[in-house]
Amino acid sequence: MEKFVINGGNKLNGEVSISGAKNSVVAILPATLLADGVCVIGNVPNISDVTAMLEILKTMGAQVKLVNQNTYKIDTRTVSSDTVPYDLTRHLRASYYLIGALLGRSSSAKVAMPGGCNFGGVRPIDQHLKGFEKLGATVTMEENAIVNANAKQLTGNSIYMDIVSVGATVNIMLAAVKARGLTVIENAAKEPHIVDLANFLNSMGADIRGAGTDVIKIRGVSYLHGCDYSIIPDQIEAGTYMVAVAATGGNVLIKNVVPKHLESISTKIVETGAEVIEYDDSIRVISNGRLQKCNIKTMPHPGFPTDMQPQFAAALSMADGTSIISEGVWDNRFKYVDHLVRMGAQIEVNGKVAVITGIEELKGAPVKADDLRAGAAMIIAGLIATGRTEIENVIYIDRGYENVVEKFAALGADIRRVIFEDDPIIKGIRSAG
Ligand code: EPU
């Protein structure tokens, strides 16, 4: 078992470079299934969600080659299957993008429902399936767990999304890009990774307009070629370092970012009293580590991102005054609060609202990463706490943060990845050969 061990109290100083965006790359890798040629994709983060998605593509028959540290050459022309079993999809939530990509590629997809972070209880995909059906696919569920989608010929249509969904917007774009005629997605998600996917598909010859607004128009094309593309920087990874610096105190230049994508996060950091200076492709955060309370309501982009609320909750648990966080995207995203409370935080959760009464001191404790962003919150809590914090379940953090221990350590944090050799489960596996 691996844990992160943190001795809190150090200020963060120096520079950190942000990796490619997880939520872009997990959509763009399946999108390579639509290309009749080689895609060269740069700025691919070295995270376990990427490893899992590349393994799926390889198992399906794609040729995947690492060209240099963060660049992959992917040729999916050798893929012959339209079926993805559960032992492949169970590792990451975004494997449901294979439904849209395979449907767009060959009008047929049979994909087992995925695993991944499960902070919100059930994570429905009704809007994805509704979109596929609107494009002319017949969708059935086998054993409640395998999506089977087929069409003679996908045909463009007007699709109004009942709720704003990142995943459904991506999946419908993937399915519609080679459909006959015009598809219009209304009430579409506007996240930077939606725009990134549209730019990637357009680089392959697609005709997609309006990505980044709530109406996306896709005129189907019959052929998509390979392309060279570079993934955008990860907005949430950047935001996580920004909050960490604000909370610990220090002065850090966060490089390789798009400041415009960070506006909602920067605004809140400034409200807590830290200083944020924007440059063209970097951002500096300066803080004395004494934060003021602030209130946050999470919303789809350009609102404040839900994927940043756990990190803010950790920071605000030591702010002056009482902060209120309202979760507006997921039904239940406060599971991590129990761990902060174990460290001494005063947080009351009532449904989708958390009330955080700032205290003088968090105390290091053994805690768990219940999901990816909950794990990021535990790191921040550990950095500002007095004493030693041990974080279990770091596999969740490795899903979305490249070299997180190395990056924080380079900024001056006392953080280590420790492999507990005496873990009974690991011992059992070893002795079983
Ligand atoms: N929803 C439905 N029906 C659907 C789809 C979604 O009711 O068919 C609901 C969800 O239950 C949720 C809301 O709509 O309440 C928004 O869900 P969305 O579909 O936008 O989320 P997602 O696509 O499953 C992506 C990110 C999440 C991020 C959310 C919201 C990826 C791979 N994941 O999930 O990122 O929290 O958008 O911004 O892009 C993370 O990175 O840690 C993470 C969980």
PDB file of all heavy atoms in Angstrom, residues 22-23 26 93-94 96-97 119 122-128 163-168 191 193 306-307 329-330 333 372-373, ligand 1:
ATOM      1  N   LYS A  22      -6.445  16.544 -17.444  1.00  0.00           N
ATOM      2  CA  LYS A  22      -7.019  15.189 -17.352  1.00  0.00           C
ATOM      3  C   LYS A  22      -8.347  15.091 -18.100  1.00  0.00           C
ATOM      4  O   LYS A  22      -8.559  14.170 -18.887  1.00  0.00           O
ATOM      5  CB  LYS A  22      -7.239  14.814 -15.877  1.00  0.00           C
ATOM      6  CG  LYS A  22      -8.063  13.558 -15.698  1.00  0.00           C
ATOM      7  CD  LYS A  22      -8.321  13.229 -14.248  1.00  0.00           C
ATOM      8  CE  LYS A  22      -9.605  13.790 -13.685  1.00  0.00           C
ATOM      9  NZ  LYS A  22     -10.840  13.071 -14.031  1.00  0.00           N
ATOM     10  N   ASN A  23      -9.245  16.034 -17.832  1.00  0.00           N
ATOM     11  CA  ASN A  23     -10.582  15.866 -18.398  1.00  0.00           C
ATOM     12  C   ASN A  23     -10.636  16.150 -19.903  1.00  0.00           C
ATOM     13  O   ASN A  23     -11.615  15.811 -20.556  1.00  0.00           O
ATOM     14  CB  ASN A  23     -11.604  16.699 -17.619  1.00  0.00           C
ATOM     15  CG  ASN A  23     -11.835  16.095 -16.228  1.00  0.00           C
ATOM     16  OD1 ASN A  23     -11.471  14.937 -15.983  1.00  0.00           O
ATOM     17  ND2 ASN A  23     -12.402  16.873 -15.320  1.00  0.00           N
ATOM     18  N   VAL A  26      -8.812  12.553 -21.417  1.00  0.00           N
ATOM     19  CA  VAL A  26      -9.645  11.341 -21.354  1.00  0.00           C
ATOM     20  C   VAL A  26     -10.778  11.383 -22.392  1.00  0.00           C
ATOM     21  O   VAL A  26     -11.422  10.368 -22.640  1.00  0.00           O
ATOM     22  CB  VAL A  26     -10.211  11.065 -19.937  1.00  0.00           C
ATOM     23  CG1 VAL A  26      -9.094  10.770 -18.959  1.00  0.00           C
ATOM     24  CG2 VAL A  26     -11.123  12.182 -19.460  1.00  0.00           C
ATOM     25  N   ARG A  93     -13.835   6.307 -15.077  1.00  0.00           N
ATOM     26  CA  ARG A  93     -15.169   6.794 -15.384  1.00  0.00           C
ATOM     27  C   ARG A  93     -15.293   7.184 -16.865  1.00  0.00           C
ATOM     28  O   ARG A  93     -16.292   6.901 -17.524  1.00  0.00           O
ATOM     29  CB  ARG A  93     -15.377   8.027 -14.498  1.00  0.00           C
ATOM     30  CG  ARG A  93     -16.712   8.632 -14.566  1.00  0.00           C
ATOM     31  CD  ARG A  93     -17.670   7.938 -13.650  1.00  0.00           C
ATOM     32  NE  ARG A  93     -19.021   8.114 -14.136  1.00  0.00           N
ATOM     33  CZ  ARG A  93     -19.976   7.218 -13.982  1.00  0.00           C
ATOM     34  NH1 ARG A  93     -19.749   6.090 -13.358  1.00  0.00           N
ATOM     35  NH2 ARG A  93     -21.172   7.445 -14.454  1.00  0.00           N
ATOM     36  N   ALA A  94     -14.267   7.853 -17.370  1.00  0.00           N
ATOM     37  CA  ALA A  94     -14.359   8.425 -18.709  1.00  0.00           C
ATOM     38  C   ALA A  94     -14.358   7.361 -19.797  1.00  0.00           C
ATOM     39  O   ALA A  94     -14.484   7.690 -20.979  1.00  0.00           O
ATOM     40  CB  ALA A  94     -13.208   9.396 -18.940  1.00  0.00           C
ATOM     41  N   TYR A  96     -16.665   5.758 -20.559  1.00  0.00           N
ATOM     42  CA  TYR A  96     -17.944   5.826 -21.295  1.00  0.00           C
ATOM     43  C   TYR A  96     -17.831   6.669 -22.560  1.00  0.00           C
ATOM     44  O   TYR A  96     -18.712   6.643 -23.399  1.00  0.00           O
ATOM     45  CB  TYR A  96     -19.123   6.217 -20.411  1.00  0.00           C
ATOM     46  CG  TYR A  96     -19.058   7.526 -19.649  1.00  0.00           C
ATOM     47  CD1 TYR A  96     -18.361   8.628 -20.103  1.00  0.00           C
ATOM     48  CD2 TYR A  96     -19.766   7.652 -18.449  1.00  0.00           C
ATOM     49  CE1 TYR A  96     -18.335   9.808 -19.402  1.00  0.00           C
ATOM     50  CE2 TYR A  96     -19.763   8.827 -17.738  1.00  0.00           C
ATOM     51  CZ  TYR A  96     -19.037   9.905 -18.216  1.00  0.00           C
ATOM     52  OH  TYR A  96     -19.027  11.070 -17.514  1.00  0.00           O
ATOM     53  N   TYR A  97     -16.736   7.412 -22.721  1.00  0.00           N
ATOM     54  CA  TYR A  97     -16.558   8.139 -23.983  1.00  0.00           C
ATOM     55  C   TYR A  97     -16.306   7.187 -25.151  1.00  0.00           C
ATOM     56  O   TYR A  97     -16.414   7.570 -26.315  1.00  0.00           O
ATOM     57  CB  TYR A  97     -15.392   9.139 -23.881  1.00  0.00           C
ATOM     58  CG  TYR A  97     -15.675  10.304 -22.953  1.00  0.00           C
ATOM     59  CD1 TYR A  97     -14.634  10.966 -22.303  1.00  0.00           C
ATOM     60  CD2 TYR A  97     -16.962  10.752 -22.733  1.00  0.00           C
ATOM     61  CE1 TYR A  97     -14.879  12.030 -21.456  1.00  0.00           C
ATOM     62  CE2 TYR A  97     -17.219  11.818 -21.879  1.00  0.00           C
ATOM     63  CZ  TYR A  97     -16.173  12.444 -21.246  1.00  0.00           C
ATOM     64  OH  TYR A  97     -16.430  13.502 -20.409  1.00  0.00           O
ATOM     65  N   PHE A 119     -18.079   9.744  -5.873  1.00  0.00           N
ATOM     66  CA  PHE A 119     -18.430  10.575  -4.726  1.00  0.00           C
ATOM     67  C   PHE A 119     -19.903  10.925  -4.686  1.00  0.00           C
ATOM     68  O   PHE A 119     -20.447  11.232  -3.662  1.00  0.00           O
ATOM     69  CB  PHE A 119     -17.607  11.863  -4.739  1.00  0.00           C
ATOM     70  CG  PHE A 119     -17.557  12.488  -6.103  1.00  0.00           C
ATOM     71  CD1 PHE A 119     -18.596  13.224  -6.586  1.00  0.00           C
ATOM     72  CD2 PHE A 119     -16.453  12.275  -6.901  1.00  0.00           C
ATOM     73  CE1 PHE A 119     -18.559  13.766  -7.844  1.00  0.00           C
ATOM     74  CE2 PHE A 119     -16.408  12.812  -8.178  1.00  0.00           C
ATOM     75  CZ  PHE A 119     -17.459  13.557  -8.652  1.00  0.00           C
ATOM     76  N   VAL A 122     -25.005   7.481  -7.301  1.00  0.00           N
ATOM     77  CA  VAL A 122     -25.238   7.082  -8.694  1.00  0.00           C
ATOM     78  C   VAL A 122     -24.788   8.211  -9.620  1.00  0.00           C
ATOM     79  O   VAL A 122     -25.041   9.379  -9.345  1.00  0.00           O
ATOM     80  CB  VAL A 122     -26.745   6.815  -8.896  1.00  0.00           C
ATOM     81  CG1 VAL A 122     -27.023   6.419 -10.339  1.00  0.00           C
ATOM     82  CG2 VAL A 122     -27.210   5.730  -7.937  1.00  0.00           C
ATOM     83  N   ARG A 123     -24.099   7.854 -10.693  1.00  0.00           N
ATOM     84  CA  ARG A 123     -23.747   8.877 -11.686  1.00  0.00           C
ATOM     85  C   ARG A 123     -24.476   8.523 -12.982  1.00  0.00           C
ATOM     86  O   ARG A 123     -23.991   7.736 -13.785  1.00  0.00           O
ATOM     87  CB  ARG A 123     -22.220   8.951 -11.858  1.00  0.00           C
ATOM     88  CG  ARG A 123     -21.552   9.625 -10.656  1.00  0.00           C
ATOM     89  CD  ARG A 123     -20.055   9.661 -10.756  1.00  0.00           C
ATOM     90  NE  ARG A 123     -19.555  10.587 -11.749  1.00  0.00           N
ATOM     91  CZ  ARG A 123     -18.253  10.910 -11.866  1.00  0.00           C
ATOM     92  NH1 ARG A 123     -17.372  10.391 -11.044  1.00  0.00           N
ATOM     93  NH2 ARG A 123     -17.863  11.746 -12.794  1.00  0.00           N
ATOM     94  N   PRO A 124     -25.661   9.116 -13.186  1.00  0.00           N
ATOM     95  CA  PRO A 124     -26.496   8.704 -14.311  1.00  0.00           C
ATOM     96  C   PRO A 124     -25.907   9.099 -15.666  1.00  0.00           C
ATOM     97  O   PRO A 124     -25.131  10.057 -15.752  1.00  0.00           O
ATOM     98  CB  PRO A 124     -27.816   9.451 -14.066  1.00  0.00           C
ATOM     99  CG  PRO A 124     -27.474  10.586 -13.181  1.00  0.00           C
ATOM    100  CD  PRO A 124     -26.257  10.208 -12.414  1.00  0.00           C
ATOM    101  N   ILE A 125     -26.297   8.353 -16.725  1.00  0.00           N
ATOM    102  CA  ILE A 125     -25.865   8.736 -18.075  1.00  0.00           C
ATOM    103  C   ILE A 125     -27.076   8.845 -19.014  1.00  0.00           C
ATOM    104  O   ILE A 125     -26.954   8.653 -20.213  1.00  0.00           O
ATOM    105  CB  ILE A 125     -24.792   7.775 -18.655  1.00  0.00           C
ATOM    106  CG1 ILE A 125     -25.304   6.331 -18.713  1.00  0.00           C
ATOM    107  CG2 ILE A 125     -23.494   7.844 -17.872  1.00  0.00           C
ATOM    108  CD1 ILE A 125     -24.437   5.449 -19.633  1.00  0.00           C
ATOM    109  N   ASP A 126     -28.230   9.162 -18.421  1.00  0.00           N
ATOM    110  CA  ASP A 126     -29.445   9.261 -19.233  1.00  0.00           C
ATOM    111  C   ASP A 126     -29.312  10.290 -20.363  1.00  0.00           C
ATOM    112  O   ASP A 126     -29.816  10.073 -21.467  1.00  0.00           O
ATOM    113  CB  ASP A 126     -30.653   9.609 -18.342  1.00  0.00           C
ATOM    114  CG  ASP A 126     -30.404  10.862 -17.515  1.00  0.00           C
ATOM    115  OD1 ASP A 126     -29.495  10.835 -16.657  1.00  0.00           O
ATOM    116  OD2 ASP A 126     -31.087  11.874 -17.736  1.00  0.00           O
ATOM    117  N   GLN A 127     -28.609  11.403 -20.107  1.00  0.00           N
ATOM    118  CA  GLN A 127     -28.479  12.441 -21.143  1.00  0.00           C
ATOM    119  C   GLN A 127     -27.587  11.968 -22.293  1.00  0.00           C
ATOM    120  O   GLN A 127     -27.799  12.346 -23.444  1.00  0.00           O
ATOM    121  CB  GLN A 127     -27.911  13.741 -20.550  1.00  0.00           C
ATOM    122  CG  GLN A 127     -28.785  14.364 -19.489  1.00  0.00           C
ATOM    123  CD  GLN A 127     -30.174  14.720 -20.006  1.00  0.00           C
ATOM    124  OE1 GLN A 127     -30.317  15.389 -21.026  1.00  0.00           O
ATOM    125  NE2 GLN A 127     -31.198  14.264 -19.321  1.00  0.00           N
ATOM    126  N   HIS A 128     -26.598  11.139 -21.982  1.00  0.00           N
ATOM    127  CA  HIS A 128     -25.736  10.579 -23.037  1.00  0.00           C
ATOM    128  C   HIS A 128     -26.602   9.693 -23.947  1.00  0.00           C
ATOM    129  O   HIS A 128     -26.576   9.817 -25.172  1.00  0.00           O
ATOM    130  CB  HIS A 128     -24.637   9.687 -22.452  1.00  0.00           C
ATOM    131  CG  HIS A 128     -23.776  10.307 -21.397  1.00  0.00           C
ATOM    132  ND1 HIS A 128     -22.393  10.211 -21.413  1.00  0.00           N
ATOM    133  CD2 HIS A 128     -24.067  11.014 -20.273  1.00  0.00           C
ATOM    134  CE1 HIS A 128     -21.895  10.808 -20.341  1.00  0.00           C
ATOM    135  NE2 HIS A 128     -22.894  11.301 -19.638  1.00  0.00           N
ATOM    136  N   ILE A 163     -30.084  18.765 -18.485  1.00  0.00           N
ATOM    137  CA  ILE A 163     -29.172  19.371 -17.514  1.00  0.00           C
ATOM    138  C   ILE A 163     -27.843  19.603 -18.239  1.00  0.00           C
ATOM    139  O   ILE A 163     -27.577  18.971 -19.250  1.00  0.00           O
ATOM    140  CB  ILE A 163     -28.918  18.453 -16.290  1.00  0.00           C
ATOM    141  CG1 ILE A 163     -28.778  17.016 -16.765  1.00  0.00           C
ATOM    142  CG2 ILE A 163     -29.934  18.560 -15.213  1.00  0.00           C
ATOM    143  CD1 ILE A 163     -27.501  16.450 -16.430  1.00  0.00           C
ATOM    144  N   VAL A 164     -27.035  20.511 -17.686  1.00  0.00           N
ATOM    145  CA  VAL A 164     -25.734  20.765 -18.312  1.00  0.00           C
ATOM    146  C   VAL A 164     -24.792  19.633 -17.894  1.00  0.00           C
ATOM    147  O   VAL A 164     -24.498  19.484 -16.711  1.00  0.00           O
ATOM    148  CB  VAL A 164     -25.161  22.124 -17.852  1.00  0.00           C
ATOM    149  CG1 VAL A 164     -23.806  22.363 -18.488  1.00  0.00           C
ATOM    150  CG2 VAL A 164     -26.127  23.238 -18.204  1.00  0.00           C
ATOM    151  N   SER A 165     -24.367  18.834 -18.852  1.00  0.00           N
ATOM    152  CA  SER A 165     -23.505  17.697 -18.543  1.00  0.00           C
ATOM    153  C   SER A 165     -22.267  17.705 -19.434  1.00  0.00           C
ATOM    154  O   SER A 165     -22.375  17.704 -20.666  1.00  0.00           O
ATOM    155  CB  SER A 165     -24.268  16.389 -18.743  1.00  0.00           C
ATOM    156  OG  SER A 165     -23.373  15.313 -18.876  1.00  0.00           O
ATOM    157  N   VAL A 166     -21.100  17.730 -18.786  1.00  0.00           N
ATOM    158  CA  VAL A 166     -19.823  17.661 -19.515  1.00  0.00           C
ATOM    159  C   VAL A 166     -19.772  16.356 -20.310  1.00  0.00           C
ATOM    160  O   VAL A 166     -19.526  16.332 -21.514  1.00  0.00           O
ATOM    161  CB  VAL A 166     -18.640  17.711 -18.521  1.00  0.00           C
ATOM    162  CG1 VAL A 166     -17.327  17.419 -19.221  1.00  0.00           C
ATOM    163  CG2 VAL A 166     -18.592  19.056 -17.817  1.00  0.00           C
ATOM    164  N   GLY A 167     -20.030  15.239 -19.600  1.00  0.00           N
ATOM    165  CA  GLY A 167     -19.876  13.921 -20.225  1.00  0.00           C
ATOM    166  C   GLY A 167     -20.824  13.734 -21.391  1.00  0.00           C
ATOM    167  O   GLY A 167     -20.430  13.225 -22.445  1.00  0.00           O
ATOM    168  N   ALA A 168     -22.091  14.144 -21.231  1.00  0.00           N
ATOM    169  CA  ALA A 168     -23.058  13.959 -22.311  1.00  0.00           C
ATOM    170  C   ALA A 168     -22.686  14.842 -23.499  1.00  0.00           C
ATOM    171  O   ALA A 168     -22.787  14.414 -24.659  1.00  0.00           O
ATOM    172  CB  ALA A 168     -24.461  14.275 -21.810  1.00  0.00           C
ATOM    173  N   GLU A 191     -17.185  23.903 -20.548  1.00  0.00           N
ATOM    174  CA  GLU A 191     -15.875  23.769 -19.899  1.00  0.00           C
ATOM    175  C   GLU A 191     -14.732  23.882 -20.922  1.00  0.00           C
ATOM    176  O   GLU A 191     -14.916  23.528 -22.097  1.00  0.00           O
ATOM    177  CB  GLU A 191     -15.781  22.395 -19.213  1.00  0.00           C
ATOM    178  CG  GLU A 191     -16.253  22.350 -17.773  1.00  0.00           C
ATOM    179  CD  GLU A 191     -17.742  22.574 -17.578  1.00  0.00           C
ATOM    180  OE1 GLU A 191     -18.464  22.696 -18.589  1.00  0.00           O
ATOM    181  OE2 GLU A 191     -18.191  22.650 -16.426  1.00  0.00           O
ATOM    182  N   HIS A 193     -12.398  21.967 -21.452  1.00  0.00           N
ATOM    183  CA  HIS A 193     -12.091  20.692 -22.130  1.00  0.00           C
ATOM    184  C   HIS A 193     -13.079  20.376 -23.245  1.00  0.00           C
ATOM    185  O   HIS A 193     -12.769  19.606 -24.136  1.00  0.00           O
ATOM    186  CB  HIS A 193     -11.949  19.513 -21.153  1.00  0.00           C
ATOM    187  CG  HIS A 193     -12.776  19.574 -19.917  1.00  0.00           C
ATOM    188  ND1 HIS A 193     -12.508  20.439 -18.873  1.00  0.00           N
ATOM    189  CD2 HIS A 193     -13.847  18.869 -19.548  1.00  0.00           C
ATOM    190  CE1 HIS A 193     -13.405  20.247 -17.921  1.00  0.00           C
ATOM    191  NE2 HIS A 193     -14.222  19.305 -18.304  1.00  0.00           N
ATOM    192  N   THR A 306     -16.901  22.569  -9.409  1.00  0.00           N
ATOM    193  CA  THR A 306     -17.102  21.611  -8.315  1.00  0.00           C
ATOM    194  C   THR A 306     -15.802  20.870  -7.979  1.00  0.00           C
ATOM    195  O   THR A 306     -15.581  20.507  -6.829  1.00  0.00           O
ATOM    196  CB  THR A 306     -18.217  20.595  -8.674  1.00  0.00           C
ATOM    197  OG1 THR A 306     -18.252  19.578  -7.682  1.00  0.00           O
ATOM    198  CG2 THR A 306     -18.005  19.935 -10.029  1.00  0.00           C
ATOM    199  N   ASP A 307     -14.948  20.683  -8.980  1.00  0.00           N
ATOM    200  CA  ASP A 307     -13.712  19.925  -8.738  1.00  0.00           C
ATOM    201  C   ASP A 307     -12.693  20.704  -7.908  1.00  0.00           C
ATOM    202  O   ASP A 307     -11.606  20.197  -7.620  1.00  0.00           O
ATOM    203  CB  ASP A 307     -13.075  19.503 -10.079  1.00  0.00           C
ATOM    204  CG  ASP A 307     -13.943  18.497 -10.817  1.00  0.00           C
ATOM    205  OD1 ASP A 307     -14.790  17.858 -10.167  1.00  0.00           O
ATOM    206  OD2 ASP A 307     -13.788  18.373 -12.041  1.00  0.00           O
ATOM    207  N   VAL A 329     -23.506  21.051  -8.303  1.00  0.00           N
ATOM    208  CA  VAL A 329     -23.385  20.128  -9.439  1.00  0.00           C
ATOM    209  C   VAL A 329     -23.706  18.687  -9.022  1.00  0.00           C
ATOM    210  O   VAL A 329     -24.539  18.031  -9.636  1.00  0.00           O
ATOM    211  CB  VAL A 329     -21.972  20.209 -10.066  1.00  0.00           C
ATOM    212  CG1 VAL A 329     -21.806  19.183 -11.188  1.00  0.00           C
ATOM    213  CG2 VAL A 329     -21.707  21.614 -10.590  1.00  0.00           C
ATOM    214  N   TRP A 330     -23.052  18.216  -7.960  1.00  0.00           N
ATOM    215  CA  TRP A 330     -23.241  16.828  -7.519  1.00  0.00           C
ATOM    216  C   TRP A 330     -24.142  16.780  -6.285  1.00  0.00           C
ATOM    217  O   TRP A 330     -24.174  17.733  -5.494  1.00  0.00           O
ATOM    218  CB  TRP A 330     -21.885  16.174  -7.191  1.00  0.00           C
ATOM    219  CG  TRP A 330     -21.006  16.049  -8.392  1.00  0.00           C
ATOM    220  CD1 TRP A 330     -19.915  16.809  -8.702  1.00  0.00           C
ATOM    221  CD2 TRP A 330     -21.162  15.126  -9.473  1.00  0.00           C
ATOM    222  NE1 TRP A 330     -19.378  16.421  -9.895  1.00  0.00           N
ATOM    223  CE2 TRP A 330     -20.125  15.385 -10.390  1.00  0.00           C
ATOM    224  CE3 TRP A 330     -22.067  14.103  -9.762  1.00  0.00           C
ATOM    225  CZ2 TRP A 330     -19.964  14.654 -11.567  1.00  0.00           C
ATOM    226  CZ3 TRP A 330     -21.903  13.382 -10.935  1.00  0.00           C
ATOM    227  CH2 TRP A 330     -20.862  13.659 -11.821  1.00  0.00           C
ATOM    228  N   ARG A 333     -21.143  15.644  -2.374  1.00  0.00           N
ATOM    229  CA  ARG A 333     -19.703  15.733  -2.568  1.00  0.00           C
ATOM    230  C   ARG A 333     -18.994  16.225  -1.312  1.00  0.00           C
ATOM    231  O   ARG A 333     -17.988  16.931  -1.391  1.00  0.00           O
ATOM    232  CB  ARG A 333     -19.374  16.625  -3.760  1.00  0.00           C
ATOM    233  CG  ARG A 333     -18.060  16.187  -4.378  1.00  0.00           C
ATOM    234  CD  ARG A 333     -17.601  16.971  -5.557  1.00  0.00           C
ATOM    235  NE  ARG A 333     -16.420  16.305  -6.127  1.00  0.00           N
ATOM    236  CZ  ARG A 333     -15.805  16.661  -7.221  1.00  0.00           C
ATOM    237  NH1 ARG A 333     -16.258  17.669  -7.917  1.00  0.00           N
ATOM    238  NH2 ARG A 333     -14.739  16.012  -7.640  1.00  0.00           N
ATOM    239  N   LEU A 372     -10.557  11.598  -6.102  1.00  0.00           N
ATOM    240  CA  LEU A 372      -9.421  12.390  -6.582  1.00  0.00           C
ATOM    241  C   LEU A 372      -9.306  13.765  -5.910  1.00  0.00           C
ATOM    242  O   LEU A 372      -8.261  14.121  -5.358  1.00  0.00           O
ATOM    243  CB  LEU A 372      -9.571  12.550  -8.098  1.00  0.00           C
ATOM    244  CG  LEU A 372      -8.680  13.518  -8.835  1.00  0.00           C
ATOM    245  CD1 LEU A 372      -7.212  13.140  -8.683  1.00  0.00           C
ATOM    246  CD2 LEU A 372      -9.058  13.532 -10.323  1.00  0.00           C
ATOM    247  N   ARG A 373     -10.383  14.551  -5.948  1.00  0.00           N
ATOM    248  CA  ARG A 373     -10.280  15.923  -5.401  1.00  0.00           C
ATOM    249  C   ARG A 373     -10.324  15.922  -3.877  1.00  0.00           C
ATOM    250  O   ARG A 373      -9.749  16.805  -3.238  1.00  0.00           O
ATOM    251  CB  ARG A 373     -11.390  16.813  -5.978  1.00  0.00           C
ATOM    252  CG  ARG A 373     -11.484  16.795  -7.498  1.00  0.00           C
ATOM    253  CD  ARG A 373     -10.182  17.142  -8.204  1.00  0.00           C
ATOM    254  NE  ARG A 373     -10.318  16.892  -9.647  1.00  0.00           N
ATOM    255  CZ  ARG A 373      -9.319  16.968 -10.500  1.00  0.00           C
ATOM    256  NH1 ARG A 373      -8.093  17.261 -10.110  1.00  0.00           N
ATOM    257  NH2 ARG A 373      -9.519  16.721 -11.773  1.00  0.00           N
TER     258      ARG A 373
HETATM  259  N1  EPU B   1     -26.050  14.036 -14.893  1.00  0.00           N
HETATM  260  C1  EPU B   1     -27.288  13.480 -15.109  1.00  0.00           C
HETATM  261  N2  EPU B   1     -27.461  12.731 -16.247  1.00  0.00           N
HETATM  262  C2  EPU B   1     -26.476  12.515 -17.147  1.00  0.00           C
HETATM  263  C3  EPU B   1     -25.201  13.093 -16.908  1.00  0.00           C
HETATM  264  C4  EPU B   1     -25.022  13.845 -15.763  1.00  0.00           C
HETATM  265  O1  EPU B   1     -28.216  13.645 -14.327  1.00  0.00           O
HETATM  266  O2  EPU B   1     -26.713  11.831 -18.155  1.00  0.00           O
HETATM  267  C5  EPU B   1     -25.843  14.888 -13.681  1.00  0.00           C
HETATM  268  C6  EPU B   1     -24.780  14.347 -12.755  1.00  0.00           C
HETATM  269  O3  EPU B   1     -25.316  13.390 -11.858  1.00  0.00           O
HETATM  270  C7  EPU B   1     -24.286  15.613 -12.079  1.00  0.00           C
HETATM  271  C8  EPU B   1     -24.413  16.686 -13.182  1.00  0.00           C
HETATM  272  O4  EPU B   1     -25.328  16.135 -14.131  1.00  0.00           O
HETATM  273  O5  EPU B   1     -25.145  15.942 -11.031  1.00  0.00           O
HETATM  274  C9  EPU B   1     -23.136  17.031 -13.907  1.00  0.00           C
HETATM  275  O6  EPU B   1     -22.490  15.858 -14.380  1.00  0.00           O
HETATM  276  P1  EPU B   1     -21.511  15.855 -15.639  1.00  0.00           P
HETATM  277  O7  EPU B   1     -22.074  14.918 -16.630  1.00  0.00           O
HETATM  278  O8  EPU B   1     -21.225  17.249 -16.069  1.00  0.00           O
HETATM  279  O9  EPU B   1     -20.206  15.214 -15.015  1.00  0.00           O
HETATM  280  P2  EPU B   1     -19.228  14.164 -15.671  1.00  0.00           P
HETATM  281  O10 EPU B   1     -19.121  14.422 -17.120  1.00  0.00           O
HETATM  282  O11 EPU B   1     -19.561  12.807 -15.211  1.00  0.00           O
HETATM  283  C10 EPU B   1     -17.135  15.699 -15.485  1.00  0.00           C
HETATM  284  C11 EPU B   1     -15.751  15.580 -14.892  1.00  0.00           C
HETATM  285  C12 EPU B   1     -15.855  15.616 -13.365  1.00  0.00           C
HETATM  286  C13 EPU B   1     -16.553  16.919 -12.947  1.00  0.00           C
HETATM  287  C14 EPU B   1     -17.898  17.063 -13.666  1.00  0.00           C
HETATM  288  C15 EPU B   1     -18.567  18.393 -13.412  1.00  0.00           C
HETATM  289  C16 EPU B   1     -14.626  14.273 -16.552  1.00  0.00           C
HETATM  290  C17 EPU B   1     -13.980  12.989 -16.916  1.00  0.00           C
HETATM  291  N3  EPU B   1     -15.151  14.343 -15.332  1.00  0.00           N
HETATM  292  O12 EPU B   1     -17.867  14.580 -14.987  1.00  0.00           O
HETATM  293  O13 EPU B   1     -14.521  15.637 -12.908  1.00  0.00           O
HETATM  294  O14 EPU B   1     -16.785  16.895 -11.559  1.00  0.00           O
HETATM  295  O15 EPU B   1     -17.713  16.933 -15.090  1.00  0.00           O
HETATM  296  O16 EPU B   1     -17.737  19.438 -13.806  1.00  0.00           O
HETATM  297  O17 EPU B   1     -14.619  15.212 -17.330  1.00  0.00           O
HETATM  298  C18 EPU B   1     -12.753  15.202 -11.460  1.00  0.00           C
HETATM  299  O18 EPU B   1     -11.996  15.597 -12.346  1.00  0.00           O
HETATM  300  O19 EPU B   1     -12.395  14.969 -10.282  1.00  0.00           O
HETATM  301  C19 EPU B   1     -14.151  14.957 -11.787  1.00  0.00           C
HETATM  302  C20 EPU B   1     -14.948  14.217 -11.065  1.00  0.00           C
END
